[in-house]
Amino acid sequence: SGQPLHDDTVDSAVEMVTARGSDAFTRYDGNLTGADGLPDFADGKRLVSPTALERYAGCPHAYFVERLLRVQPVEQPEEIIKISPLDIGNLMHETMDEFINDSRDSLPDFGQPWTAEQRVRLREIAVAKAANLEARGTTGHTRLWEDERDRILADLTSMLDEDDRWRAMRNARVVRSELGFGRDGVDPVAIEVDGGSVLMRGSADKVDETRDGTIIVTDIKTGSARDYKELNKDPVAAGTKLQLPAYAHAALQILGGERAEAAYWFVRQGKGGRIQLELTDEVEQTYAEAVGTLVASLAGGLFPAKAPDQPDFAWVTCWYCNPDGIGHGEARERYMKKRHDPALRDLVTLIDPKAVESGAVEPGAVEPAQRGEAR
């Protein structure tokens, strides 16, 4: 009849739908500017990990719900058919960590291979850890697990083959496993940005040293290298790959030396290879600017839902943008409109380069406090 209902709930719902349908970045879209309690990671006091900032760059809304509200998708144990990629990664990481620590008195010297006895020991550690996973009931169907277990063992053996080849080529020796910083009494890595200092904490998987004194820090990856290829053009991959510079900084800070490199090592067969990054002045500048933009945007309360640009098919890419599992198309459409808002310009310029290329966002000079540039 067109008569107003005078109902607060309905009025609020209409307000939300209207705001979400507009081009403006509103509180219904994740604009929490001015809200109390937002973390300021440039205060030089609290610690943050590179992976946490990567998560924010990937989808600020997901970061807000997962990290600030501490809400996570519900897992259904009865639906586990095969071991998860996370459990595979943990198994391989923990095996290599224990193996290197177990061999600490006989680690290979410059360009020298692992011994036959050490290779046997690696397999023993892996078999024991695999048995523990199986006992916990997280490995899925028996037949599928048997095949995956054999593949994991083969991949671990292949890791030693590749490590021998790579260290012979670089004339490098194994130094240690798990280079931790910002924890257990070890100082964090400080990244100076406009407005303060960002203290990083984390842990790299493996450290080697070449005969000329170059320290090489390696982060082991059990997934595909596909999402990391962008590092060949952009050392921070739109803010989503921030580990390597922090690891290189930590190596110099903890172990000394004048030159450090860091690399992602993709260790599963068919997905292998290394993506290496040298800590140059240009990389450090780009890194500090990216970190500064992310922490400034986070402290400023910017949490748009940056839904994936490709539709979900076989699996859900972001449960926070697609909580019912039937698609994130509507969330993506909203983001495509909201990213024009001037409040998001600096953040979108970093995390969504395609928006700049398409002309949806025009990068320009703004106040330093907004940009979070490096000093």
Side-chain angles (χ1 to χ4, degrees):
S1 62
Q3 297 297 318
L5 296 177
H6 300 297
D7 184 282
D8 290 342
T9 301
V10 173
D11 291 343
S12 296
V14 170
E15 180 184 353
M16 180 188 71
V17 171
T18 302
R20 283 192 165 183
S22 72
D23 292 341
F25 178 52
T26 72
R27 67 189 184 101
Y28 297 104
D29 310 300
N31 188 349
L32 301 185
T33 301
D36 294 331
L38 295 173
D40 179 9
F41 291 116
D43 63 3
K45 298 177 182 179
R46 62 185 81 194
L47 305 181
V48 66
S49 67
T51 52
L53 295 182
E54 289 175 356
R55 181 63 165 154
Y56 176 72
C59 179
H61 169 70
Y63 177 95
F64 174 75
V65 178
E66 180 182 33
R67 304 265 177 161
L68 298 186
L69 298 185
R70 301 190 182 281
V71 176
Q72 296 186 341
V74 177
E75 295 184 357
Q76 303 293 339
E78 67 275 9
E79 295 180 1
I80 295 177
I81 299 176
K82 58 188 298 187
I83 185 172
S84 70
L86 177 61
D87 283 334
I88 292 175
N90 289 338
L91 171 58
M92 297 184 70
H93 279 85
E94 291 171 7
T95 296
M96 286 301 296
D97 181 40
E98 183 173 330
F99 168 68
I100 292 176
N101 287 324
D102 194 55
S103 305
R104 61 184 176 275
D105 295 329
S106 56
L107 292 171
D109 207 347
F110 295 108
Q112 297 301 305
W114 296 97
T115 67
E117 292 79 9
Q118 287 170 326
R119 289 171 174 269
V120 170
R121 180 58 183 149
L122 175 70
R123 185 177 180 86
E124 290 173 348
I125 294 171
V127 168
K129 291 189 177 297
N132 287 337
L133 271 183
E134 187 174 353
R136 283 164 44 192
T138 60
T139 54
H141 192 279
T142 301
R143 291 297 300 274
L144 295 176
W145 165 235
E146 289 174 352
D147 290 342
E148 190 61 61
R149 175 182 174 277
D150 290 344
R151 184 187 171 203
I152 291 170
L153 295 175
D155 285 341
L156 286 166
T157 299
S158 178
M159 284 178 66
L160 295 193
D161 294 338
E162 170 59 21
D163 190 57
D164 285 348
R165 184 201 67 78
W166 176 80
R167 284 187 299 99
M169 179 184 67
R170 293 297 304 264
N171 196 15
R173 67 185 179 98
V174 182
V175 175
R176 60 187 289 181
S177 174
E178 293 296 331
L179 180 72
F181 54 96
R183 64 182 195 182
D184 300 327
V186 180
D187 290 338
V189 167
I191 306 298
E192 299 302 319
V193 300
D194 187 73
S197 180
V198 179
L199 302 183
M200 294 280 198
R201 59 179 171 85
S203 179
D205 297 318
K206 183 172 178 283
V207 182
D208 298 274
E209 180 186 23
T210 64
R211 194 177 288 276
D212 68 5
T214 300
I215 300 171
I216 304 175
V217 188
T218 302
D219 192 56
I220 296 171
K221 297 295 185 185
T222 53
S224 170
R226 181 181 60 252
D227 294 336
Y228 294 77
K229 298 298 185 183
E230 189 178 346
L231 287 170
N232 295 321
K233 299 181 296 182
D234 176 4
V236 297
T240 63
K241 302 292 180 287
L242 301 174
Q243 293 171 282
L244 296 189
Y247 294 165
H249 268 294
L252 292 175
Q253 180 174 298
I254 297 169
L255 303 177
E258 297 181 354
R259 186 166 179 267
E261 299 174 6
Y264 293 117
W265 180 18
F266 302 90
V267 298
R268 305 222 69 186
Q269 291 185 27
K271 300 180 180 179
R274 291 175 185 263
I275 295 179
Q276 198 128 332
L277 185 69
E278 184 179 353
L279 193 61
T280 65
D281 291 343
E282 182 180 1
V283 167
E284 288 197 69
Q285 176 72 12
T286 299
Y287 186 72
E289 289 179 355
V291 170
T293 296
L294 292 174
V295 298
S297 300
L298 204 159
L302 307 181
F303 300 99
K306 183 179 176 290
D309 57 1
Q310 297 297 323
D312 289 338
F313 289 109
W315 59 84
V316 173
T317 307
C318 178
W319 280 105
Y320 300 97
C321 293
N322 183 14
D324 54 13
I326 61 175
H328 59 251
E330 184 178 344
R332 179 66 187 178
E333 289 178 4
R334 284 202 304 270
Y335 169 75
M336 294 290 284
K337 291 195 299 183
K338 306 293 180 177
R339 67 181 184 174
H340 296 263
D341 193 295
L344 293 172
R345 180 170 58 186
D346 297 324
L347 179 61
V348 169
T349 297
L350 171 65
I351 69 175
D352 191 2
K354 293 179 181 178
V356 179
E357 295 170 4
S358 68
V361 175
E362 295 183 7
V366 292
E367 292 300 317
Q370 293 176 303
R371 291 176 61 184
E373 289 188 32
R375 290 173 176 169

